[in-house]
Amino acid sequence: MSIVREVVADPRTAVWHLRKGGVNQLRTWARRRDLFGRPVNFNGQQVLGAPEFPAWPLPDRPPRRPDLRVGVILDDFSRLAFRYEWDQVELTPRAWRDQVLQPRPIDLLFVESAWHGNGDAWQYALTGSKAPSPDLRELVSWCREQGVPTVFWNKEDPVHYEDFLDTAKIFDHVWTTDSERIPSYVEDLGHSRVGVLPFAAQQSIHNPIRPTKGHQARDIAFAGMYFAHKYPERREQMDLLLGAAERVSSRMPLGLEIFSRFLGHDDRYQFPGSLGDRVVGSLSYEQTLSAYRGYKVFLNVNSVVGSPSMCARRIFEITACGTPVVSTPSAAIGEFFPGDEVIQVSEQQEAEWTLRALWNSPELRDRMVHRGQRRIWAEHTYTRRVDDVLAGVGLATHQVKRPTVSALVSTNRPHQLDHVLSTLAAQQDVDLEVVVLTHGFDGAATVRDKAKALGIANLVAIEAPSDLPLGACLNRLVTAASGDVVAKIDDDDLYGPHYLRDQLNALDYSGAAVVGKQAHHMYLKAEDLTIVRFPEREHRFTDFVMGPTIVTSRDVALAHPFPELGRGEDTGFLRGISDAGAQIYSADRFGFIQVRDTNAGTHTWGATSAELLANGRVLAQSSADTHILN
């Protein structure tokens, strides 16, 4: 980069930077100009060329509760998050009387503390001197007369408790994002139908599915607002965290990039000083979903730091999208995530080291978000939040039931029974049925005895002659299974205790017909090496996954049976799925290790260790079980 060239090209801007921040800022400006190119016009303001993030494609998927019809008044983020959970009816003041009845009556009214409810249809209806509006009062009264439960969710607590209190008073049930507000609500409302409803992730859009290009191609990002006139604690957090990110930026190609929602508007919301030079544009929400996937690290600061339940919405969303979050401290973050899943920093040096460590280590980043995602899928999705609300209002019959899963094992090796049954007995957080076919030996009684000793209560054991092709064996296993989902399990590979739960989660967030692992770990026993194969195929839709990781619904497996072959049955099954127009998704690389005894000649696929090493990346001189499987 030539600083002279950039100064000559734009001398007025160069002089401004020299006066504003001295030679160091001039160098930074020249470097960024060289990286981004010439300044461009963005929202009427001259800024450095902004990275381009397309709108993330929103999946057209049916809601998880199609039979639950819910009238809603929500701001834009929540409208998108909840629409995948129920048959959503976005009510308007003029048309609600018809909407609540057609094509059938609503089952629930769900209203949040909306500033611009349903695209401004209810602006000033929920807060302000005239709130709640007459239309809103009439809507709630109609619901009460018809026996339809009404719910108000104040997502703006604790800051705007008073602003929405009069509206909260007219509803049957009230939920809040701040657990410390519950005593106040009980006193002010005169009832105890009050609960805590934190933010969450919507797994249909906040998920680790990667873009076709640009995944984590950029360095560090912050997307948010700067408040020059309020929230002094938040400004102090920005000085600490964004300042640290700015200082380490010289070690990175691009460094810190800031997206400001109010770029070029009110001065009270503009980033000051050198941070202002880091602003590269603003994003729509759909573009933000792409940006979440485009950086190695995302930053978070907190407007509310003392509430144990008011955890920022973006922490759930960014982690679910597969990017590590580094945040300044708040009481709520530690209540939702341990420190190795969302990192909190409180000192400048600590922040700088943390950002550099994450930037330098893809393995650290991926393991961190994988564990955080597992926690989100189990506890912090809007599916779980809606289930909590439904239980509270007497509509628990509409809660989403987790699918049951049948593990399918076809084995012709009696000596592997202990290994595979122990592996399945260790699976956590699944309603599991184990279905074992002993291929070419009389082993059903032995399987039952071993399974009983391991505490496997739900077992099906069948036998087949040795001349029956493996594909036919698999089809018999599918027929014998009773689970909603079937998972193909090999008898000699390694599966972590969360393997099946992770795969069920992938079925949910991807919407695919089949999930599995194309990116995966392989242990070469003879060489004592663990390699990563096909890492570029992680978290992507594909046409192939490894046979021992195939997971699908039982209905799909019945409709598309395995070819009755002794070799190539997995490939044939996946080809049939693709030919039918259904999607196959390659999930994360964790939780599974394919074991390869390359000198033993025991595998139907005759690849040599040299071929495997040539097409893989060495991870460790060991099996690396703890890192991969837990």
Side-chain angles (χ1 to χ4, degrees):
M1 179 194 75
S2 170
I3 188 171
V4 175
R5 182 183 68 242
E6 302 304 333
V7 170
V8 170
D10 192 356
R12 293 183 61 185
T13 305
V15 170
W16 184 90
H17 280 283
L18 181 63
R19 289 176 176 173
K20 188 75 173 178
V23 174
N24 286 338
Q25 183 166 323
L26 178 63
R27 287 197 184 102
T28 299
W29 166 78
R31 176 183 61 82
R32 291 180 60 79
R33 178 185 167 95
D34 186 58
L35 287 168
F36 283 103
R38 291 180 176 270
V40 296
N41 188 276
F42 194 93
N43 286 357
Q45 179 173 332
Q46 291 292 321
V47 297
L48 290 169
E52 295 183 2
F53 288 105
W56 187 255
L58 303 178
D60 184 17
R61 296 172 57 179
R64 293 178 176 83
R65 305 168 184 80
D67 298 329
L68 181 67
R69 193 162 186 263
V70 180
V72 302
I73 301 174
L74 302 169
D75 281 334
D76 289 346
F77 294 168
S78 297
R79 288 164 66 194
L80 180 57
F82 284 103
R83 83 180 198 189
Y84 294 98
E85 297 301 330
W86 48 38
D87 179 11
Q88 185 159 288
V89 185
E90 297 177 7
L91 306 174
T92 65
R94 292 185 177 181
W96 70 260
R97 291 167 182 82
D98 292 329
Q99 290 176 299
V100 296
L101 291 172
Q102 301 298 329
R104 63 179 183 83
I106 61 172
D107 302 297
L108 174 69
L109 175 66
F110 186 86
V111 177
E112 75 171 1
S113 49
W115 304 100
H116 304 280
N118 293 356
D120 283 337
W122 296 87
Q123 190 172 18
Y124 308 120
L126 286 82
T127 185
S129 60
K130 299 181 180 180
S133 69
D135 288 311
L136 181 61
R137 290 182 181 274
E138 290 178 20
L139 169 60
V140 173
S141 295
W142 179 89
C143 289
R144 186 166 290 116
E145 292 169 1
Q146 302 300 315
V148 175
T150 62
V151 169
F152 182 74
W153 178 38
N154 194 345
K155 71 181 190 309
E156 304 293 341
D157 280 333
V159 178
H160 294 286
Y161 175 83
E162 295 290 344
D163 294 324
F164 290 95
L165 180 59
D166 287 341
T167 293
K169 288 178 179 179
I170 69 175
F171 285 79
D172 300 328
H173 304 266
V174 172
W175 267 266
T176 173
T177 49
D178 180 19
S179 58
E180 294 187 333
R181 294 293 93 194
I182 288 183
S184 299
Y185 274 118
V186 171
E187 180 178 352
D188 290 336
L189 301 180
H191 65 75
S192 58
R193 297 185 301 276
V194 182
V196 181
L197 192 69
F199 290 119
Q202 173 47 257
Q203 63 271 35
S204 294
I205 55 175
H206 308 127
N207 55 55
I209 298 172
R210 295 178 180 175
T212 54
K213 61 180 180 179
H215 171 69
Q216 293 190 359
R218 307 183 82 87
D219 298 328
I220 303 173
F222 176 78
M225 298 167 60
Y226 187 87
F227 298 99
H229 59 297
K230 59 181 178 178
Y231 301 131
E233 287 184 330
R234 192 175 191 271
R235 289 199 301 275
E236 291 178 6
Q237 293 177 45
M238 283 193 172
D239 291 341
L240 187 156
L241 188 56
L242 274 65
E246 187 178 24
R247 277 187 294 279
V248 301
S249 291
S250 62
R251 298 173 176 269
M252 305 169 185
L254 300 173
L256 172 65
E257 295 176 330
I258 298 173
F259 298 93
S260 173
R261 194 184 308 170
F262 284 87
L263 177 62
H265 297 289
D266 193 326
D267 288 344
R268 296 175 300 172
Y269 299 100
Q270 304 310 306
F271 285 81
S274 59
L275 290 180
D277 298 331
R278 291 279 170 182
V279 177
V280 295
S282 63
L283 300 170
S284 69
Y285 186 65
E286 287 77 8
Q287 289 175 305
T288 300
L289 295 177
S290 290
Y292 283 167
R293 297 161 165 92
Y295 288 85
K296 295 175 178 65
V297 183
F298 243 89
L299 307 180
N300 174 71
V301 296
N302 309 283
S303 298
V304 177
V305 298
S307 169
S309 61
M310 181 57 174
C311 188
R313 188 197 300 256
R314 68 170 65 89
I315 291 178
F316 299 104
E317 296 181 354
I318 296 167
T319 303
C321 287
T323 299
V325 176
V326 177
S327 177
T328 50
S330 84
I333 294 175
E335 295 292 327
F336 289 88
F337 296 97
D340 60 349
E341 294 175 11
V342 173
I343 299 178
Q344 300 182 67
V345 293
S346 56
E347 297 178 354
Q348 294 280 1
Q349 187 66 73
E350 177 190 22
E352 292 180 29
W353 285 338
T354 298
L355 294 173
R356 288 171 56 189
L358 288 170
W359 186 87
N360 278 321
S361 179
E363 197 71 27
L364 177 63
R365 295 197 301 267
D366 291 351
R367 192 74 185 97
M368 174 180 167
V369 297
H370 175 63
R371 293 173 69 91
Q373 287 164 355
R374 181 184 290 149
R375 189 174 307 278
I376 288 172
W377 310 143
E379 304 172 16
H380 305 307
T381 63
Y382 283 105
T383 303
R384 302 278 80 81
R385 300 289 188 254
V386 168
D387 281 347
D388 291 342
V389 170
L390 296 178
V393 303
L395 294 172
T397 55
H398 290 283
Q399 290 178 317
V400 172
K401 295 181 180 179
R402 292 182 174 180
T404 58
V405 58
S406 295
L408 310 182
V409 181
S410 177
T411 179
N412 61 2
R413 296 179 286 193
H415 60 280
Q416 289 297 129
L417 286 174
D418 286 333
H419 168 75
V420 69
L421 291 173
S422 297
T423 296
L424 294 172
Q427 293 298 301
Q428 297 180 15
D429 198 27
V430 287
D431 185 354
L432 180 63
E433 174 187 62
V434 176
V435 188
V436 179
L437 182 148
T438 52
H439 191 195
F441 66 98
D442 297 331
T446 301
V447 168
R448 294 188 189 96
D449 291 341
K450 290 180 180 294
K452 183 177 180 180
L454 290 166
I456 298 174
N458 194 358
L459 175 80
V460 177
I462 56 178
E463 298 173 348
S466 59
D467 59 351
L468 190 71
L470 179 55
C473 293
L474 293 172
N475 292 330
R476 288 193 182 185
L477 286 166
V478 172
T479 302
S482 63
D484 302 313
V485 170
V486 293
K488 186 171 177 285
I489 301 291
D490 271 16
D491 61 8
D492 59 345
D493 292 327
L494 304 179
Y495 299 82
H498 306 285
Y499 169 80
L500 287 174
R501 181 71 258 169
D502 288 347
Q503 294 289 72
L504 292 180
N505 292 333
L507 274 176
D508 183 26
Y509 68 68
S510 71
V514 175
V515 301
K517 296 179 187 291
Q518 189 168 12
H520 68 286
H521 294 95
M522 176 178 282
Y523 177 57
L524 306 179
K525 291 179 69 174
E527 293 79 10
D528 191 27
L529 288 175
T530 297
I531 63 174
V532 183
R533 303 185 69 228
F534 311 115
E536 74 283 356
R537 290 293 181 174
E538 189 171 24
H539 286 304
R540 299 184 189 278
F541 291 99
T542 182
D543 59 355
F544 180 79
V545 292
M546 307 311 294
T549 69
I550 290 173
V551 178
T552 187
S553 74
R554 182 172 181 267
D555 289 343
V556 167
L558 288 172
H560 302 276
F562 288 86
E564 297 198 352
L565 305 171
R567 179 180 296 186
E569 69 289 338
D570 296 334
T571 301
F573 170 78
L574 294 171
R575 186 181 298 116
I577 296 295
S578 293
D579 290 346
Q583 288 185 309
I584 300 169
Y585 180 71
S586 173
D588 63 89
R589 66 186 184 272
F590 295 104
F592 169 75
I593 302 174
Q594 192 166 28
V595 178
R596 187 79 178 176
D597 191 348
T598 50
N599 290 339
T602 58
H603 301 279
T604 56
W605 174 41
T608 65
S609 59
E611 179 183 349
L612 294 168
L613 286 167
N615 292 282
R617 183 184 72 213
V618 175
L619 175 70
Q621 181 76 50
S622 67
S623 62
D625 293 11
T626 301
H627 174 73
I628 297 169
L629 298 180
N630 293 324

